[in-house]
Structures are given as structure tokens and as C-alpha cells.
Amino acid sequence: MAVDPRQILGAFLTISMFAMLGNMIKRDHFDAYKMSLQMQSGVRLKKFEENKVSAITLLSKGPWNVDSQQLKQCWTKPVSKDTEPSKGFIVFSLTNGPDHHLSQLADAVVIARYVNATLVLPDIRGSEPGQKRKFQDMYDVDKFMRSLDGVITIVKELPPEVTSRSPAVVRVPNGASEDFIVKKIEPIFRANGYLRLSTYFPSVNLKLREKQNADLALTTCLAMFGSLELKPEIQELVDMMAGSLRTLNQKSNGCFVAIDLRTDVLEKKICKQNGFKKRKSCYNAQEIAEFLKKRGFDGNTTIYLTQTWWHESLNFFREIFPNTYIKDDLIPADKKGAFLKAGSSDLQRAIDFYICSQSDAFVPAFTGLFYGHVAGRRIASGRTQILVPSSPSPDFLSSFVSKKNHLAYSCYC
């Protein structure tokens, strides 16, 4: 039977129209998706971006870890002590940035609860003599006081009748045991009723503690993970910077790696290898860059370094990872005066701490309290891709994660 040429032409046109329609739908869909990636991130887009990142990462896993699940809080607020009258006052200061602040705060709260003292809101001391700021200049004071309401009594200032006296100064090792509190602190507090705590760090130990008083364990969890937050203005800046890191480079699929690497610290450290364990305590920029390449991170990876100002020793790093940013690149010009000026190192470390806590992967170039507390925050939020070049784990995961021996695992499960 003869076929009418017009029927062939009609069929061809019909197929072509369906093909064009399919392409339009496909193109419109991905154009819209691409546009969403190009949106400027701010506080309003933070949760949207983080949820979207999870979906993107699942499509293209690469070196990113997508298997982590957010843990659930397995601690409750300690029983209220509102009915017990306070027996005196404890004062203390926060020093050396948010990583030390968390430890100092937890020690003070635990001790105040145990001896039934009123805790005076601490001030924040800088690294130079005379540098001092109020607690509320960095942290959310209302959140802090609400979270500990009923657990301990907190006042913003000492009453006039106490300020004329000199407190008994007690040096406290970080993470002091109940036995230390009973023998070394409580007798002095009962005799004086007015203490100044000075926390020192004989070692960095954020691992799980055995046989800890249950009430003190709950108080520690609350102080470490449920009481301290940045004041809203600083948190908004951190969220904006993290949002920018997710959107500045479209080829990174909205993910970024945060690396605690500062040239001023490296200049003071001797990064020698431990002959017995064949591990190093710190790594320079070139070593970290080579480590990331071996782990599968390519030149399109977005990197955040905790360096404040660019240093020529980092040029090699940026040659391998051109999408590398520091605070000077990300903080808006109208805010640099407040955050990057001399004497603002505590604010700079606060920015570093919270960006490192919410990045998709975190790499510490050196060990220490900053690494330990960032690891704790990340474990609590399910961001367990913490890569340590010296880790014996086959995937270089932090032993805090691979062995689940960080104290965060006693607070989240």
C-alpha cells in the first residue's frame, strides 16, 4: 500500500515537537536549579542551602561523606535547685577564644552547681593586657541565662557588699573531677564564700569520662552544648559567610571544606614526626593540600582557611585549590573594622570556630582544644567528616569519630 508523503511529514513534525518540548522541560528544570544555586546566601537561605546540599551531595558523592546521621540528645536538664539558698559567689573570666571559653564555662557551671554558688556573668579577656569585653559583646546573654535557669543562679554583677572583698583564687584543672571539687574547692568556698576560678589546661582531654557523677555529667552536657551561642549580630555574619562559601563556586556543588590552618601558629610550632607512632602534630599548607588531593578533593573544591590575612606561604595552596577563601575575602567591607582590627582575635576565632563547626568537612592542621571542641560540635550535629592527616584510620577519620570516644557521645546518641 502506498504511503502518503504528507503522513510521513506529519509524523516527523509530531516527533520533532515532542522532542523540542522534552528539551524545553529539561532545560527549564535545570536552568531553574542552576539559578537556585546562584542565589546569594544569607540568614534567610541558610537552612534552605544546607538541605539542598544534602541532595546535591547524594547525586555526586566524590570525597564527601553522606552517610552521617544526626544524633539525638540523650541528656536532660538537671533537676532544679531553685529552693536551695546560694552559699556565696563564684567569678571567672573567659580567655583565648571560644574553644577555651567552652571548657572554662563548663568547669565554672559544674563547680557552682556542686557547691551551690551563685555564678557571676564572666567577662572576656583578650590576649593582650588590658583587653577586656563584656560577655554580651560576643555571646547571647539571654539564651545563656535562660538555659541555666534553675540549674544554677546567675547574676550579671556582684552585689555591692561583696565587691569590696577580695576573692580566694583557686586554680582548677580543666575537667576537674568530683574528688578535686570536694577536696580542693569546696573547703575554700565554705570558708570564704567568694571564689575566683582560674582554669588551666594540663592536657587537652575531651574524651569520654568513666564513672562521672550523673548530675555533673548532665550539667556538663548542658554547659558544653546547650548554653553558649553567639550574639545574633555575629551569628548572622557567620551564616552569611558560610552561605557565600556554598554559593561562590558553582562547581563545588554547594559544599566546602574548612581547614584550621594559620601561619602564625605554624611559625611557633615544630611539626616533627613522632618516631614511634610515625605521626605529626601539625601540618603546613603544602602538606594539607597534598593530603586533600589524595583524599579525592579536586581543584574545584571550595576551601575556607582560618587565616585572617593572606600570607605568601599559602600561595602554593591556592594554586592547587584556587577557590580558597579567608576572613578578609568574606567579611563585608563595612564590618572589617569591627572584626579584623587589632585586638579582635577572640572575635576572629569565634568566626572560625562556628564556620568550622558547620562546614561539610573539617581538617585540623594541628591538634589542640580548638580541634577537640569543633569535633564535639560537629558530632552533635551529625557532621562527622573530620579528616586528620595523622589518623591511623584507613579513611583518615578523626579517632573521636572512628572510636566514638569524644565526650559528645555521652551527650548525644
Side-chain angles (χ1 to χ4, degrees):
M1 182 177 71
V3 179
D4 188 340
R6 289 175 297 179
Q7 291 179 321
I8 297 175
L9 179 61
F12 175 79
L13 291 173
T14 300
I15 293 172
S16 298
M17 288 176 63
F18 276 112
M20 289 173 63
L21 181 61
N23 285 333
M24 289 172 64
I25 293 171
K26 181 179 179 181
R27 185 173 64 251
D28 287 347
H29 172 74
F30 284 101
D31 282 351
Y33 186 66
K34 183 177 179 181
M35 285 178 65
S36 68
L37 281 176
Q38 295 174 330
M39 294 173 66
Q40 291 297 318
S41 294
V43 179
R44 293 179 294 109
L45 296 173
K46 178 174 177 286
K47 292 184 179 180
F48 169 77
E49 289 292 342
E50 289 180 349
N51 292 335
K52 183 174 64 180
V53 166
S54 298
I56 295 171
T57 308
L58 285 170
L59 293 174
S60 179
K61 180 177 179 179
W64 304 101
N65 177 13
V66 297
D67 300 324
S68 300
Q69 292 183 350
Q70 187 166 346
L71 302 177
K72 294 181 180 180
Q73 178 180 310
C74 52
W75 53 274
T76 56
K77 191 171 182 177
V79 176
S80 175
K81 284 191 173 184
D82 276 345
T83 57
E84 299 182 27
S86 170
K87 298 175 182 177
F89 295 87
I90 288 179
V91 296
F92 69 110
S93 297
L94 301 177
T95 61
N96 299 319
D99 46 332
H100 284 71
H101 295 176
L102 281 167
S103 290
Q104 292 160 342
L105 183 70
D107 288 337
V109 170
V110 165
I111 292 169
R113 180 169 173 84
Y114 195 91
V115 302
N116 196 19
T118 294
L119 194 67
V120 181
L121 200 67
D123 58 6
I124 300 174
R125 304 289 177 92
S127 56
E128 299 295 329
Q131 289 182 350
K132 186 189 296 187
R133 67 175 80 245
K134 294 180 179 179
F135 182 88
Q136 52 267 38
D137 291 339
M138 183 180 292
Y139 295 112
D140 187 334
V141 66
D142 293 330
K143 157 72 177 178
F144 176 70
M145 297 186 74
R146 282 198 311 271
S147 66
L148 294 170
D149 184 38
V151 178
I152 58 172
T153 301
I154 303 175
V155 295
K156 293 185 177 180
E157 296 179 349
L158 278 169
E161 65 269 19
V162 180
T163 54
S164 59
R165 296 167 48 199
S166 296
V169 179
V170 181
R171 294 186 76 237
V172 181
N174 175 229
S177 65
E178 182 180 8
D179 184 64
F180 185 92
I181 297 173
V182 170
K183 294 179 179 179
K184 302 293 185 180
I185 300 177
E186 192 167 29
I188 300 175
F189 178 71
R190 290 189 182 281
N192 293 271
Y194 180 24
L195 300 183
R196 170 168 281 280
L197 302 181
S198 175
T199 300
Y200 67 97
F201 296 83
S203 63
V204 177
N205 184 9
L206 290 170
K207 294 184 178 181
L208 290 170
R209 301 167 188 166
E210 297 181 0
K211 299 179 181 179
Q212 187 180 17
N213 176 304
D215 183 78
L216 296 189
L218 293 177
T219 305
T220 299
C221 287
L222 173 61
M224 292 274 280
F225 299 104
S227 67
L228 201 62
E229 291 183 1
L230 292 174
K231 62 185 291 189
E233 296 90 332
I234 302 177
Q235 187 61 56
E236 287 173 8
L237 175 63
V238 169
D239 293 340
M240 185 213 69
M241 292 171 67
S244 295
L245 287 163
R246 296 194 186 284
T247 58
L248 280 169
N249 173 24
Q250 297 177 31
K251 293 182 180 179
S252 68
N253 288 336
C255 299
F256 74 96
V257 180
I259 304 173
D260 184 26
L261 191 157
R262 293 181 292 147
T263 56
D264 62 320
V265 176
L266 287 173
E267 288 170 357
K268 298 174 184 177
K269 286 182 174 285
I270 301 175
C271 300
K272 292 182 178 179
Q273 183 167 295
N274 182 311
F276 177 70
K277 296 183 179 180
K278 294 183 178 181
R279 301 178 197 167
K280 292 179 63 175
S281 61
C282 56
Y283 294 82
N284 62 34
Q286 182 173 344
E287 291 169 325
I288 293 293
E290 292 171 351
F291 170 71
L292 290 175
K293 285 175 62 180
K294 289 179 181 178
R295 291 294 304 136
F297 292 95
D298 61 27
N300 291 321
T301 305
T302 298
I303 307 284
Y304 174 78
L305 299 182
T306 56
Q307 180 79 9
T308 298
W309 306 103
W310 192 256
H311 192 276
E312 60 181 7
S313 64
L314 302 173
N315 290 344
F316 174 85
F317 192 95
R318 188 169 265 174
E319 288 176 5
I320 298 176
F321 296 101
N323 299 296
T324 296
Y325 302 93
I326 60 176
K327 287 184 283 294
D328 185 39
D329 300 319
L330 298 168
I331 295 178
D334 63 338
K335 295 184 182 297
K336 286 185 178 182
F339 291 94
L340 301 186
K341 66 182 180 181
S344 298
S345 59
D346 52 352
L347 292 176
Q348 293 163 20
R349 289 307 276 165
I351 290 171
D352 292 335
F353 183 83
Y354 286 91
I355 289 182
C356 289
S357 297
Q358 62 179 270
S359 62
D360 299 278
F362 171 59
V363 180
F366 18 73
T367 58
L369 205 58
F370 185 93
Y371 156 50
H373 276 300
V374 167
R377 288 293 176 112
R378 295 183 65 88
I379 290 167
S381 62
R383 297 182 175 93
T384 54
Q385 190 169 15
I386 307 167
L387 304 175
V388 181
S390 62
S391 172
S393 172
D395 51 8
F396 293 95
L397 269 183
S398 165
S399 60
F400 283 140
V401 176
S402 61
K403 296 181 180 180
K404 289 183 167 52
N405 62 5
H406 194 287
L407 65 82
Y409 285 106
S410 66
C411 303
Y412 294 86
C413 49

